[in-house]
Amino acid sequence: MNPKYEIRSQHFADLKEKYQAAKYEDYSPSSPLYFILRKADLGIELTDLESIYLQKEQLSKTFNIIQKEQQQRSKERISLGVEFTQLKSKYKVDNYNISWIKSDLYFILFKIDSGNFLTDKEFNWLLSHGFKTTTSIAIEIQKFSSLKSKYKATRYQDSHPDNSLYPILKKIDISEHLNETEYKWLVEKGLSETLEFVKQQEAAERNEFIQLKEKYQATKYKSEYLSSPLYSILKKLESTEKLTDTEITWLKEQKLIETIAIAEEREQIKEFAALKFKYKATEYEDLSPKCHLYKVLKIIDAGNFLAEQDINFLKKRKLVETLKIANDKYANHLKTKIEINELLSDSEIEWLQKQGREDVINFAKQKHFAALKRKYSLIDPALPIEPLYTIMLKLEKKERLDSLLVVQLMAKGILSHNGKIAIAYYRLEAEFYEQEYKRTGNKWDIPTISKFWRKANEPEQALKITNLDLGTIKESNLKSAISVTRGAAFRDINKLNDAESLAKKAMEYQSDTHQPYTLMGAICYDKYEYAKGDYWFEQAILRGAKTEDIDAEIKQVIKNEKNDDKRHEAAEYLLKKDSHRYAWAKAYLKKQKDKK
């Protein structure tokens, strides 16, 4: 007999038994019933003709079984679809519309939900399809499952990371103490083995706490509660972690001075070891932070220079490389100070000189010179550093300058008469003579003081020092000198009537000196009374004034005139009077012409 036929015949017999069609007498695999039962067994829905055939052959029982089975399959199919939708929502799967029948996702989500571990291939599948959130949840579930196994909580079925048990197990895993609510939750869920583990863990920690208190001399603190700040502090010490300022403060409040001392010594030992490595002093074997090397290395690390005894200490122990690093570091520290325009102290400069670091000294000098040039408005880049640097240093220290040197520099045009250096010089001179006047009471200092205050562009100070009762002064020449300089100060602030009054008084006090007449001439020029001014200037020359000084005075009047028309008028007057003598006035005619 054909083996294939026998197999099919046996299969037909099995199907008839399964679907209760034994009374159907035809056993041949070629029977229409065999075809119908095979379709039904595969879950394929019967056609109307096939249903009629079963009824005709009086196989209604078989028909009912097949129909019921198909209905059950349909329900199960719907149930699987609903379950897939729920799992997608639960595990944050968005924008995925492939049928559950064809996708691997259903199986993967089912594994995640059942707490089974995913394979690498399954994780890769999730990631390759962009399900990062789902992957993260799966990882957390696997961690949760591992913790349940580790802490004997597997009887608790829910493995989703949102569950209350997960954070409890995580706390247990890092030896963090449970609160009363968490304890009660474990009791209510009947997780006695997990609770027993927690109790054992706490017992071990209490024992550890006792030992740590003895080790770090904190036994005076009586509390044994594991929630105490002391326990976490002592554990940090044991793991060589650095305590925070808040923790140190807490120890001080508990008067645990010995514990603080141990903590500080540990940090010092660590720091000492790091400093020895950093500054090439590892051959020095002493590790105690009480040794002198530790203090020396801290000085170096702070960027400070070493005292002679510290230098000798390093030399004696042949720590030559350490000393070189220290010197280079301090020199660099000084260079940084210079770069941010900080001034070096005398001791710092002395140290640089001893070390032969002329490069740094010169760098400091150049930087300071550049800063002082900016301060005193010296914009010429070709200006020599000396003697200007020395002059400006003296001004910074409020020291008087060499008058002859200043005058020579002004004559050469290196310093302006109205520049900041000149003004500072004049102010220093005024202040010096004021102090002399206070010390000696010599009234002949008054005109000198006034002169310097005027040159320093502070005529108010000149008026202040000359504001005195001249009736108390016997010398006519002194009264005249004070009146002239006071009148000149009034002229500086454009109070010409007051200035003129004082010039006339000065003439009365001393008619044979040229200063009052020179002042009067300048006042007349200020008032645009040029012919009248020339008269007074001639009177000044008759009394000893130099022609060039008079011309310089006139030139200054014209230069200071703010009204362009008046300046032009004065220039024309002078050129008409003497075009050769007053040739410099042509420049003011040209300026007026250029403006037009």
Side-chain angles (χ1 to χ4, degrees), residues 415-432:
L415 292 181
S416 165
H417 285 272
N418 296 316
K420 289 186 177 180
I421 287 182
I423 288 171
Y425 159 69
Y426 295 138
R427 185 182 294 112
L428 281 174
E429 290 298 296
E431 290 171 349
F432 169 76

Side-chain angles (χ1 to χ4, degrees), residues 30-243:
S30 59
S31 167
L33 180 59
Y34 183 40
F35 171 75
I36 291 170
L37 295 180
R38 282 162 66 198
K39 277 186 71 177
D41 201 45
L42 290 171
I44 300 170
E45 192 172 347
L46 301 186
T47 65
D48 290 343
L49 291 176
E50 290 163 347
S51 298
I52 292 169
Y53 179 82
L54 291 173
Q55 296 293 339
K56 185 180 177 184
E57 294 297 325
Q58 297 182 353
L59 295 170
S60 56
K61 200 169 187 178
T62 301
F63 174 76
N64 291 336
I65 291 171
I66 291 171
Q67 193 176 47
K68 189 175 181 181
E69 191 178 74
Q70 286 181 338
Q71 288 172 350
Q72 185 62 35
R73 282 199 185 101
S74 178
K75 284 182 182 179
E76 192 62 30
R77 187 184 293 269
I78 292 168
S79 177
L80 285 168
V82 170
E83 184 181 277
F84 183 45
T85 300
Q86 291 170 342
L87 287 172
K88 283 198 295 180
S89 175
K90 184 176 182 180
Y91 294 105
K92 314 296 181 186
V93 176
D94 298 320
N95 301 321
Y96 188 80
N97 300 315
I98 298 173
S99 171
W100 62 269
I101 299 171
K102 298 178 180 179
S103 173
D104 287 326
L105 181 60
Y106 195 172
F107 175 68
I108 293 172
L109 294 181
F110 195 85
K111 280 189 74 175
I112 294 171
D113 201 53
S114 64
N116 285 289
F117 282 42
L118 298 187
T119 63
D120 290 342
K121 187 174 182 179
E122 288 161 345
F123 271 120
N124 290 335
W125 189 94
L126 287 171
L127 291 171
S128 66
H129 285 76
F131 300 134
K132 291 183 179 179
T133 305
T134 309
T135 304
S136 298
I137 294 171
I139 291 169
E140 288 301 310
I141 286 174
Q142 291 193 179
K143 289 179 181 177
F144 189 10
S145 297
S146 296
L147 290 174
K148 284 203 294 182
S149 176
K150 182 176 180 180
Y151 297 110
K152 299 181 180 180
T154 49
R155 65 192 300 174
Y156 191 80
Q157 296 300 310
D158 191 345
S159 294
H160 198 278
D162 289 342
N163 188 270
S164 300
L165 180 58
Y166 189 34
I168 291 174
L169 295 180
K170 284 199 288 187
K171 285 180 76 172
I172 294 171
D173 199 51
I174 59 172
S175 300
E176 188 175 330
H177 305 118
L178 304 185
N179 58 42
E180 189 176 349
T181 303
E182 290 164 335
Y183 264 109
K184 285 182 178 179
W185 192 92
L186 290 175
V187 172
E188 289 169 1
K189 301 302 177 185
L191 297 170
S192 56
E193 289 180 287
T194 307
L195 277 168
E196 186 60 33
F197 190 97
V198 172
K199 290 175 183 177
Q200 290 174 3
Q201 187 182 65
E202 289 185 351
E205 288 177 339
R206 284 195 183 89
N207 186 51
E208 180 191 33
F209 190 14
I210 292 167
Q211 292 175 350
L212 289 174
K213 284 204 289 184
E214 290 178 359
K215 182 175 181 179
Y216 294 104
Q217 300 181 32
T219 51
K220 65 173 68 174
Y221 187 80
K222 299 303 179 184
S223 173
E224 293 184 4
Y225 284 110
L226 298 174
S227 57
S228 164
L230 180 60
Y231 184 39
S232 60
I233 289 172
L234 296 181
K235 284 204 295 184
K236 281 185 76 172
L237 282 176
E238 187 68 6
S239 62
T240 68
E241 287 184 60
K242 186 176 181 179
L243 300 186

Side-chain angles (χ1 to χ4, degrees), residues 392-400 427-428 431:
M392 289 187 288
L393 279 181
K394 282 193 170 187
L395 290 177
E396 290 296 292
K397 295 175 183 176
K398 303 291 185 183
E399 294 179 7
R400 293 180 72 205
R427 185 182 294 112
L428 281 174
E431 290 171 349

Side-chain angles (χ1 to χ4, degrees), residues 283-501:
E283 62 265 37
Y284 191 81
E285 294 181 358
D286 193 344
L287 290 172
S288 171
K290 294 178 182 178
C291 77
H292 190 64
L293 179 61
Y294 178 48
K295 296 174 185 175
V296 172
L297 294 181
K298 287 196 74 169
I299 292 170
I300 296 171
D301 201 54
N304 297 322
F305 76 95
L306 297 177
E308 197 65 35
Q309 62 179 24
D310 297 326
I311 294 170
N312 293 334
F313 175 86
L314 293 175
K315 286 179 178 178
K316 189 174 180 181
R317 284 147 187 83
K318 298 180 180 179
L319 295 171
V320 179
E321 202 169 357
T322 305
L323 184 57
K324 183 180 181 304
I325 294 170
N327 289 338
D328 289 343
K329 185 178 176 69
Y330 186 59
N332 288 333
H333 166 70
L334 295 181
K335 283 183 76 174
T336 302
K337 278 186 69 175
I338 296 164
E339 284 167 357
I340 60 174
N341 294 320
E342 282 189 32
L343 295 180
L344 299 185
S345 66
D346 292 341
S347 61
E348 289 168 337
I349 293 171
E350 184 182 348
W351 182 89
L352 288 167
Q353 289 171 337
K354 281 184 179 179
Q355 299 301 318
R357 296 302 299 264
E358 294 298 325
D359 58 323
V360 181
I361 294 172
N362 289 332
F363 176 59
K365 196 172 181 179
Q366 291 291 344
K367 286 282 287 185
H368 194 208
F369 180 51
L372 290 176
K373 282 203 298 181
R374 287 192 296 273
K375 179 176 179 179
Y376 290 100
S377 301
L378 299 174
I379 57 176
D380 185 356
L383 286 174
I385 193 168
E386 293 297 348
L388 289 175
Y389 184 56
T390 300
I391 287 173
M392 289 187 288
L393 279 181
K394 282 193 170 187
L395 290 177
E396 290 296 292
K397 295 175 183 176
K398 303 291 185 183
E399 294 179 7
R400 293 180 72 205
L401 305 182
D402 182 334
S403 301
L404 179 61
L405 176 62
V406 173
V407 171
Q408 287 173 344
L409 291 174
M410 288 179 182
K412 291 177 181 178
I414 296 173
L415 292 181
S416 165
H417 285 272
N418 296 316
K420 289 186 177 180
I421 287 182
I423 288 171
Y425 159 69
Y426 295 138
R427 185 182 294 112
L428 281 174
E429 290 298 296
E431 290 171 349
F432 169 76
Y433 282 106
E434 277 194 350
Q435 291 300 318
E436 284 295 294
Y437 175 53
K438 288 177 182 177
R439 185 176 64 85
T440 65
N442 183 3
K443 288 187 172 59
W444 276 105
D445 286 330
I446 293 173
T448 304
I449 297 166
S450 176
K451 175 187 71 173
F452 282 121
W453 276 128
R454 287 185 58 236
K455 286 188 175 184
N457 293 335
E458 296 189 46
E460 294 83 1
Q461 293 295 331
L463 290 171
K464 186 177 178 181
I465 194 68
T466 57
N467 186 19
L468 70 165
D469 181 7
L470 295 182
T472 62
I473 299 173
K474 295 179 180 179
E475 302 97 317
S476 295
N477 54 351
L478 176 55
K479 288 195 281 190
S480 178
I482 293 173
S483 297
V484 168
T485 190
R486 183 170 175 78
F490 274 121
R491 180 178 167 242
D492 290 339
I493 61 174
N494 207 32
K495 289 188 175 182
L496 299 181
N497 291 334
D498 290 332
E500 185 175 342
S501 175

